[in-house]
Amino acid sequence: MKANSQLNHSASHLLAAAILKLYPNTKLAIGPAIEEGFYYDFEFEEPLLESDLPKIEKLMKKLAEQGYEMHCVDESKYSFAGQPYKQELYQEFIEKKYDITYYSYIHPKTQEVLFTDLCAGNHIDNTKKIKHFKLLSTAGAYWRGDSNNKMLTRIYGTAWETKEELDAYLALLEERKERDHRKLGKELNIFGFNPLCGQGFPIWLEDGMKIHNAIRDYVLKIDKKFGFREVLTPHFGEKKLYEISGHWAHYQDTMFKPIEMDNELLIGRPMTCPHHIMLFNSTRRSYRDLPIRYSEQSRLYRYEKSGALTGLERVRGMDLTEGHVFVRKDQIKSEFKHLYTMIIKALKDFNIEIDHISLSLRDPQDKEKFFDNDEMWTNAENDLRDVLKELNIEYKEFIGEAAFYGPKIDIQIKTVLNRIITMSTLQLDFLLPTKFEMKYVDENNEYQTPVLIHRGLIGTYERFVAILLEQTKGVLPYWLSPRQVTILPISDAQNEYCQSLYEEFLDYDINVNVDLRSERINKKIREAQIQKTKFVIVIGKEEVESGKLAVREYGSDQTTIYDKNEFLNKLSELKRNLK
């Protein structure tokens, strides 16, 4: 949903007006409209609580009903004394020779000035039109996003033109809460964090590891099917490795600091491409050997700012479904098609919903961020355009989003929090093979430099599981479910039989649990449903005597009677067909 920016911008001014009436000594920062609403940043004398929001909202409604009009006013009347953030912005605008405008809410009859702000405009004309709005939450926000600056209080809100739109948006927010992978991960025992284990380093719990391992089994199979050779390389690299590659120059702010040991400067690797280049360079290569495809479930370490850490979506330690392919120039297009087909198959098998495909290009004016070789970039970007067109793929171009070494094709996903993140990627790289002096012998017995393609199949396990949980609301298909079967005895008399069933199901590589607690059967069924168990088997006296299974599938109140072998065959078929 996209909200009316004029309405929301005006609502942010109304919020600031209400804040100054309730808390006169508050210092104002900025208050823009955003895609789904607005926010305003404040420095309060005393901490503001979310429980204060209804009081602020009530005053906003009272002020809105009075019909203040928005006017562009004479700047000479306003100095913003006691408002350091506004004064800082004003001085910056003067230095940069920006146009400076002020807008005021003024009552049309009394000429009372309710509120004035340093602002570029884009407002509605009267506060009476601000009828359907809601203050949503508070958060901490550093002034200008710089952690060296003071932490301010950000108040989020949303305004809509009709009550129906507001109600629909608030319902959407509730749905997002239910789908938030952080909430689901806690409820379903998938992952956790502990400050003693380090910020941003997730702990995979037992059920989380079952999902992780099911994904890994799939990835290893599809890698093998598409011609990849699995390797394992060190978690660390000498600093010089990343200096040669250029990663230290371009990404050191997001790399962990070196550890000095035995005259080495070791860095927790942020990527694996230099390691795989070392593998390629370890022996003489012929043109007949190419393409060479290496895959690795790479453990990577990247320093994300603490404020950017978001559950599994943004972490500091991650496992990447990584691949690197070394090709001849005449193989670029065919290999890209091969790899794109692989990625789309994987996302389809996991039923991942794609938002869009992006072609990330360099900014030709930025010679520092992007390697300075116009011919290389032009050829590489045109090659990727050709691939996308030949595959009849709709895509969007983004200037300045390429890697420093080359353009890339990214599969973009929208999260439940309405953020666009990259799930899968294909990146074309002419630069690193040159930096590492990579060579192969061509048909004329002459040395040539290969081209490198970076492949991220389904991104990191962490981000991928976050998306899976959000898109499925935690109801994973049987083959991925950490709780495929739960066996429940009606009474203690069936415990021994249920234990034997449990051990038999383990032999079939089924994620099975048995609940032998002396609890009411309805309670145990309900708890298994809450844990999103795919199949619940209830065993009573009759089932023990007949050898039959009374099975209830997730989301159904119906019980189906199966022969044991019939049910095991059903489970095998579900797993085989990725259902």
Side-chain angles (χ1 to χ4, degrees), residues 11 26 35 49 66 72 76 99 121 136 180 202 210 221 244 325 378 402 418 427 460 484 494 505 531:
T26 301
E35 184 174 357
L49 304 176
Q66 295 179 34
C72 186
S76 64
D99 290 335
L136 301 171
D180 191 323
K210 290 176 182 177
K221 287 177 183 176
I244 295 171
V325 184
T378 299
N418 209 33
Q427 303 176 6
T460 67
Q484 294 170 335
Q494 291 86 45
F505 275 48
Q531 288 298 312

Side-chain angles (χ1 to χ4, degrees), residues 77-138:
K77 296 180 182 179
Y78 303 98
S79 64
F80 287 113
Q83 293 291 346
Y85 304 110
K86 296 296 183 185
Q87 291 171 356
E88 181 180 325
L89 290 173
Y90 177 82
Q91 290 301 322
E92 179 182 311
F93 294 168
I94 290 291
E95 291 170 6
K96 293 183 177 180
K97 298 182 180 180
Y98 290 168
D99 290 335
I100 297 176
T101 52
Y102 291 78
Y103 281 82
S104 292
Y105 275 135
I106 302 175
H107 197 281
K109 293 182 179 179
T110 66
Q111 297 302 300
E112 174 201 357
V113 177
L114 174 67
F115 176 69
T116 301
D117 209 349
L118 180 66
C119 179
N122 191 35
H123 299 284
I124 60 170
D125 57 2
N126 195 297
T127 58
K128 284 188 175 181
K129 295 180 180 179
I130 310 175
K131 293 181 179 180
H132 311 292
F133 65 91
K134 180 76 175 173
L135 296 184
L136 301 171
S137 62
T138 63

Side-chain angles (χ1 to χ4, degrees), residues 433-455:
T434 301
K435 283 178 170 288
F436 283 99
E437 300 180 349
M438 300 180 70
K439 300 295 179 185
Y440 68 90
V441 179
D442 68 11
E443 60 270 32
N444 298 316
N445 210 32
E446 295 179 352
Y447 284 110
Q448 302 293 339
T449 301
V451 178
L452 170 58
I453 299 174
H454 304 254
R455 182 224 65 180

Side-chain angles (χ1 to χ4, degrees), residues 364-545:
Q365 307 304 316
D366 191 341
K367 302 299 184 181
E368 291 187 11
K369 181 178 179 182
F370 303 104
F371 184 66
D372 188 10
N373 184 322
D374 290 338
E375 182 181 2
M376 182 203 83
W377 280 98
T378 299
N379 291 337
E381 291 174 351
N382 286 337
D383 280 343
L384 293 196
R385 284 192 185 96
D386 290 344
V387 168
L388 289 166
K389 289 174 183 176
E390 289 173 19
L391 290 172
N392 198 29
I393 297 167
E394 290 187 15
Y395 66 94
K396 301 176 183 178
E397 292 193 2
F398 293 88
I399 305 296
E401 295 299 318
F404 75 90
Y405 47 70
K408 55 182 181 168
I409 296 172
D410 291 327
I411 313 295
Q412 307 288 16
I413 307 295
K414 183 173 285 189
T415 73
V416 73
L417 297 179
N418 209 33
R419 288 196 290 264
I420 296 295
I421 61 172
T422 299
M423 176 62 69
S424 310
T425 187
L426 290 172
Q427 303 176 6
L428 191 54
D429 187 348
F430 291 89
L431 179 59
L432 292 190
T434 301
K435 283 178 170 288
F436 283 99
E437 300 180 349
M438 300 180 70
K439 300 295 179 185
Y440 68 90
V441 179
D442 68 11
E443 60 270 32
N444 298 316
N445 210 32
E446 295 179 352
Y447 284 110
Q448 302 293 339
T449 301
V451 178
L452 170 58
I453 299 174
H454 304 254
R455 182 224 65 180
L457 180 61
I458 53 173
T460 67
Y461 284 82
E462 289 74 16
R463 181 170 283 186
F464 191 66
V465 168
I467 292 297
L468 276 176
L469 292 175
E470 291 183 355
Q471 291 197 357
T472 64
K473 211 172 182 177
V475 184
L476 298 171
Y478 171 82
W479 74 281
L480 276 174
S481 174
R483 292 180 177 261
Q484 294 170 335
V485 174
T486 294
I487 302 170
L488 305 177
I490 290 178
S491 70
D492 292 347
Q494 291 86 45
N495 281 359
E496 185 177 344
Y497 181 76
C498 287
Q499 181 65 30
S500 66
L501 271 181
Y502 165 75
E503 292 172 4
E504 184 176 355
F505 275 48
L506 284 177
D507 290 337
Y508 284 86
D509 196 26
I510 295 167
N511 292 333
V512 59
N513 297 283
V514 60
D515 188 346
L516 303 180
R517 295 175 301 158
S518 297
E519 297 281 0
R520 290 180 293 107
I521 188 64
N522 286 340
K523 180 181 179 181
K524 291 199 283 189
I525 291 173
R526 184 170 63 253
E527 289 178 353
Q529 289 282 317
I530 291 172
Q531 288 298 312
K532 305 188 190 303
T533 304
K534 303 307 291 184
F535 296 97
V536 174
I537 301 175
V538 179
I539 300 294
K541 181 180 178 182
E542 183 177 339
E543 284 73 32
V544 173
E545 292 174 352

